[in-house]
């Protein structure tokens, strides 16, 4: 019977990288994945295009990890974005770098990334078993046994790599089991919450604008003290529950609702300062003095937004342009440059792109990802209390920590 010296629990990004690295290093590897196929969550990342990493330098990489970034210094040093790019291109996946240094497969198909990893697992003779790790035992500070749902007790496990993912997108297999298992080994679990997650608002204007997608707007998030914690231009989407879209997901990584409340301010016309926008309004009004206000504003805003903005500015839609007073025009200017939305909280963690919180990093060796609570246990990926902004940074965390864990587990 084959002796599986390294067992990897979880066939996501971190788990597959850990398994491949361990096998390349010479270990016999068993990969446990409860889904029928590995990499299920990867299929939906980057809008099914898979933003594999961010082609940036070390300083920008570290600056893009707002939570416990220093913990990842060694892992990034060993296997950084350039290594990720080289890794996939060596597997035959051609990559391209887009706006914001985001790296995607040239095919724009996440399936190409998953296939490349799967076939490399096969080439490295990693045994892939459809099974779920359900228990582990620790004696005298050392991993002493593991049990899988279907396989029962797995003997001769010299090292276990926990890479079961967080609690986001549970339909992909990320059910949060890893937190319980790490807890059995004595680890502290920092309370989890969604990061890169849509935001809820009780403002009825969001529901009135639901379905409206805005491009090239500027979004500023302020905390309860009025301090700007996020400011960026991009795309957002109004929904029945509040706000979503790339800008909103990015902003959520900067928001901790346990410490503060937040307000979003949207600038619909960031390319025009107040003076230039006022001149634009005067020009449009002057060109159509006898038209209804609704028609003129339709040339400046999406049709569905016109009633909401006009109401906010105190301008009746049926009012003729020539009847609009200076004060109303100034109110319109304020509504366009400072459309505020009070945020009541994030959407559930299950809807988040990644999970914030998890295994406390001071209980894990940053060079090897080995547990300081149980020798022979390694922890990688989203289970760790680290997370990054959008743009490929979270997948880079997975590749880097998976590589570190796989190498150290095999050398054990």
């Amino acid at each position: 019977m084959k002796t599986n010296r390294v067992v990897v629990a979880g066939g996501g990004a971190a788990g597959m990288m850990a398994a491949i690295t361990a096998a390349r290093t010479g270990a016999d590897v068993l990969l446990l994945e409860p889904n029928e196929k590995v990499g299920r969550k990867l299929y939906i990342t980057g809008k099914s295009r898979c933003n594999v990493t961010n082609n940036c330098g070390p300083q920008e990489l570290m600056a893009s990890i707002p939570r416990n970034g220093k913990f990842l210094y060694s892992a990034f040093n060993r296997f950084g974005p350039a290594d990720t790019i080289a890794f996939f291109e060596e597997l035959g996946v051609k990559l391209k770098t887009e706006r914001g240094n985001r790296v995607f497969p040239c095919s724009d198909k996440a399936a190409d990334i998953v296939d490349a990893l799967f076939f490399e697992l096969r080439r490295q003779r990693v045994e892939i078993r459809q099974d779920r790790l359900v228990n582990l035992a620790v004696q005298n500070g050392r991993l002493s046994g593991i049990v899988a749902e279907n396989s029962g007790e797995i003997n001769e496990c010299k090292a276990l790599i926990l890479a079961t993912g967080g609690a986001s997108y549970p339909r992909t297999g990320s059910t949060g089991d890893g937190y319980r298992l790490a807890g059995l080994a004595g680890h502290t679990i920092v309370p989890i919450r969604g990061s890169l997650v849509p935001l809820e608002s009780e403002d009825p204007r969001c529901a009135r604008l639901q379905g409206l997608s805005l491009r090239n707007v500027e979004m500023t998030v302020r905390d309860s003290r009025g301090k700007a914690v996020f400011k960026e231009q991009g795309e957002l989407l109004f929904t029945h529950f509040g706000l979503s879209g790339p800008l909103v997901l990015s902003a959520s990584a900067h928001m901790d609702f346990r410490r503060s409340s937040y307000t979003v301010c949207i600038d619909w016309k960031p390319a025009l300062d107040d003076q230039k926008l006022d001149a634009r309004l005067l020009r449009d009004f002057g060109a159509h003095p006898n038209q209804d206000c609704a028609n003129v504003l339709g040339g400046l805003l999406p049709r569905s937004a016109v009633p909401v903005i006009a109401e906010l500015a105190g301008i009746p839609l049926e009012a003729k342009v020539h009847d609009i007073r200076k004060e109303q025009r100034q109110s319109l200017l304020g509504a366009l440059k400072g459309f505020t939305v009070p945020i009541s909280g994030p959407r559930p963690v299950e809807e988040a792109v990644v999970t914030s919180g998890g295994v406390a990093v001071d209980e894990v060796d940053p060079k090897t990802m080995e547990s300081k609570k149980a020798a022979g246990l390694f922890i990688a990926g989203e289970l760790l209390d680290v997370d990054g902004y959008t743009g490929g940074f979270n997948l880079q965390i997975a590749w880097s920590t998976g590589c570190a864990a796989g190498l150290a587990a095999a050398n054990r």
Side-chain angles (χ1 to χ4, degrees):
M1 186 177 74
K2 183 177 180 180
T3 299
N4 293 297
R5 298 184 62 84
V6 174
V7 177
V8 180
M16 286 191 284
M17 178 59 79
I20 289 169
T21 304
R24 285 180 172 182
T25 308
D28 292 325
V29 182
L30 167 64
L31 175 62
L32 303 177
E33 168 53 48
N35 289 314
E36 187 177 348
K37 294 182 179 180
V38 293
R40 189 169 175 187
K41 189 174 180 181
L42 278 171
Y43 280 110
I44 62 173
T45 61
K47 297 181 180 178
S48 299
R49 296 174 62 214
C50 194
N51 183 185
V52 292
T53 187
N54 192 284
N55 193 6
C56 65
Q59 286 187 330
E60 186 179 346
L61 178 61
M62 293 299 293
S64 300
I65 313 297
R67 192 171 181 86
N68 297 322
K70 290 182 179 179
F71 170 79
L72 295 167
Y73 183 81
S74 293
F76 283 160
N77 228 17
R78 177 182 290 113
F79 196 89
D83 301 295
T84 298
I85 292 169
F87 173 82
F88 282 106
E89 290 189 334
E90 286 170 6
L91 296 185
V93 182
K94 293 183 178 180
L95 302 175
K96 59 182 178 180
T97 300
E98 296 187 357
R99 178 178 56 86
N101 293 322
R102 290 169 165 84
V103 179
F104 295 91
C106 290
S107 64
D108 287 329
K109 294 179 180 178
D112 288 352
I113 297 295
V114 179
D115 288 347
L117 291 164
F118 173 73
F119 288 120
E120 182 62 13
L121 288 167
R122 284 289 180 86
R123 274 192 294 271
Q124 297 301 327
R125 297 185 179 181
V126 172
E127 180 186 350
I128 303 173
R129 188 181 301 175
Q130 188 177 357
D131 208 345
R132 182 189 300 275
L133 187 70
V134 293
N135 203 0
L136 59 81
V138 176
Q139 289 184 352
N140 301 319
R142 181 176 295 276
L143 180 73
S144 59
I146 63 172
V147 179
E149 191 171 53
N150 301 322
S151 306
E153 187 173 356
I154 299 176
N155 297 316
E156 301 301 327
C157 170
K158 302 300 182 184
L160 169 66
I161 301 174
L162 270 184
T164 55
S168 59
Y169 293 118
R171 67 182 183 276
T172 66
S174 298
T175 59
D177 285 357
Y179 302 125
R180 178 184 64 82
L181 292 166
L184 292 176
H187 278 284
T188 302
I189 307 300
V190 177
I192 63 170
R193 61 185 177 90
S195 183
L196 308 184
V197 64
L199 300 173
E200 294 184 347
S201 175
E202 296 177 1
D203 191 329
R205 292 174 300 178
C206 290
R208 289 175 63 187
L209 292 168
Q210 67 174 300
L212 175 61
S213 179
L214 299 179
R215 294 185 177 184
N216 301 319
V217 295
E218 184 175 85
M219 176 174 151
T220 304
V221 178
R222 297 188 181 278
D223 62 17
S224 54
R225 296 174 298 171
K227 179 184 177 182
V229 298
F230 176 86
K231 186 175 184 179
E232 198 171 300
Q233 290 189 29
E235 302 175 26
L236 65 79
L237 172 70
F238 287 98
T239 71
H240 66 283
F241 58 75
L243 300 171
S244 188
L247 267 183
V248 175
L249 298 184
S250 294
S252 70
H254 300 257
M255 304 163 74
D256 186 347
F257 289 91
R258 295 168 296 188
R259 298 181 178 181
S260 179
S261 57
Y262 298 92
T263 301
V264 164
C265 181
I266 301 169
D267 183 346
W268 296 65
K269 299 293 177 181
L272 302 174
D273 60 23
D274 288 15
Q275 188 175 359
K276 290 180 179 178
L277 182 56
D278 193 33
R280 164 75 185 273
L281 292 174
L282 285 169
R283 186 168 64 250
D284 289 355
F285 288 177
H288 308 283
N290 297 314
Q291 287 194 17
D292 289 349
C293 178
N295 292 332
V296 177
L297 289 181
L300 190 67
L301 293 164
R303 281 287 173 184
S304 59
V306 170
V308 175
I309 295 295
E311 180 181 296
L312 186 59
I315 300 175
L317 290 175
E318 67 279 3
K320 298 299 181 184
V321 169
H322 61 72
D323 289 331
I324 295 176
R325 303 186 307 276
K326 180 180 179 181
E327 301 79 48
Q328 290 176 307
R329 193 182 77 247
Q330 291 301 311
S331 294
L332 177 59
L333 181 69
L336 291 170
K337 299 294 288 183
F339 186 91
T340 58
V341 179
I343 302 301
S344 53
R347 291 292 283 173
V349 65
E350 292 82 6
E351 296 182 28
V353 176
V354 294
T355 309
S356 181
V359 176
V361 295
D362 60 352
E363 299 173 355
V364 178
D365 187 324
K367 293 182 179 179
T368 63
M369 301 298 137
E370 186 168 18
S371 165
K372 295 179 181 179
K373 298 287 186 178
L377 172 63
F378 300 79
I379 303 170
E382 201 174 341
L383 276 177
L384 295 164
D385 183 24
V386 290
D387 57 272
Y389 299 144
T390 56
F393 299 107
N394 288 290
L395 270 182
Q396 185 58 53
I397 293 172
W399 309 132
S400 297
T401 58
C403 176
L407 182 65
N411 284 330
R412 220 180 190 295

